[in-house]
Amino acid sequence: PPMSIMEEESVVKSDTADLCERYIVITNISKKNNVKFLINAAAAYKFKAILVGWKNEEDLHVSPETPYIALETLDQLTQFLKERSIPLVGVEIIDGAQSVMEDPFTQSIAFMPGNEGTGLSKRQKLISDSFIYIPQYGVGTASLNVYVATTIILHRFNLWSNGNA
């Protein structure tokens, strides 16, 4: 079940092993399975998932032991992150985006992947503090499944944060 912001704050403050706050923002994702996979990936990589604007959370059939935060709007998300001084990093191939291979990370961070077909919305781009992309080397369309792309970034982040990048 989703945690309230108060519950989230108590979890973050009680976690003495890791004082950093790390989130995956899940919004504007079309496929229910991708949402579920992203929530599980967040837990696997020691991130917390933030669902924004998801109306039927019970339809996701996420394990009760897998915590996530439910917010209604991007404005609430922006306020939540700003109160904690956490940068929002959009996952998008866009001018000015940094390669994940450059390790453009901070200890506390929130990653926001784009929609499976259309990428980040105009509003999502406006609220992002920076952007990150995964270099691709083939001649086809530069596109990866949202779950695959997100887990590549989370894996690279964990290598960096553990001093192995």
Side-chain angles (χ1 to χ4, degrees):
M3 292 190 289
S4 71
I5 291 177
M6 297 295 284
E7 289 172 319
E8 161 63 15
E9 288 173 350
S10 69
V11 168
V12 170
K13 289 176 182 170
S14 68
D15 188 2
T16 56
D18 186 3
L19 299 176
C20 301
E21 296 181 73
R22 299 167 179 165
Y23 300 98
I24 298 174
V25 176
I26 304 169
T27 187
N28 193 29
I29 302 295
S30 299
K31 296 179 181 173
K32 185 170 58 174
N33 274 342
N34 281 337
V35 173
K36 183 177 177 178
F37 294 153
L38 288 169
I39 292 170
N40 290 328
Y45 285 97
K46 296 184 180 178
F47 277 66
K48 295 175 190 78
I50 301 176
L51 292 177
V52 179
W54 192 264
K55 301 296 181 207
N56 299 312
E57 297 161 21
E58 61 278 354
D59 288 351
L60 297 174
H61 305 291
V62 175
S63 167
E65 293 82 37
T66 306
Y68 62 90
I69 300 165
L71 300 175
E72 292 182 18
T73 67
L74 289 175
D75 288 336
Q76 288 177 336
L77 170 70
T78 302
Q79 179 180 352
F80 178 86
L81 296 175
K82 287 199 184 309
E83 287 172 354
R84 292 157 177 78
S85 300
I86 298 172
L88 179 59
V89 180
V91 179
E92 185 84 352
I93 300 172
I94 189 172
D95 286 342
Q98 291 184 277
S99 166
V100 68
M101 300 306 291
E102 296 172 18
D103 300 324
F105 306 123
T106 58
Q107 286 295 330
S108 290
I109 198 163
F111 293 112
M112 181 171 55
N115 175 277
E116 298 94 325
T118 58
L120 294 173
S121 70
K122 182 183 265 188
R123 176 82 169 110
Q124 287 174 292
K125 289 176 186 175
L126 284 172
I127 66 169
S128 294
D129 297 302
S130 64
F131 299 93
I132 192 170
Y133 73 96
I134 300 164
Q136 297 176 47
Y137 304 102
V139 294
T141 302
S143 178
L144 293 172
N145 170 280
V146 65
Y147 169 72
V148 172
T150 303
T151 56
I152 289 170
I153 289 169
L154 298 181
H155 178 74
R156 182 69 186 185
F157 177 88
N158 276 294
L159 288 175
W160 171 82
S161 68
N162 293 323
N164 296 319

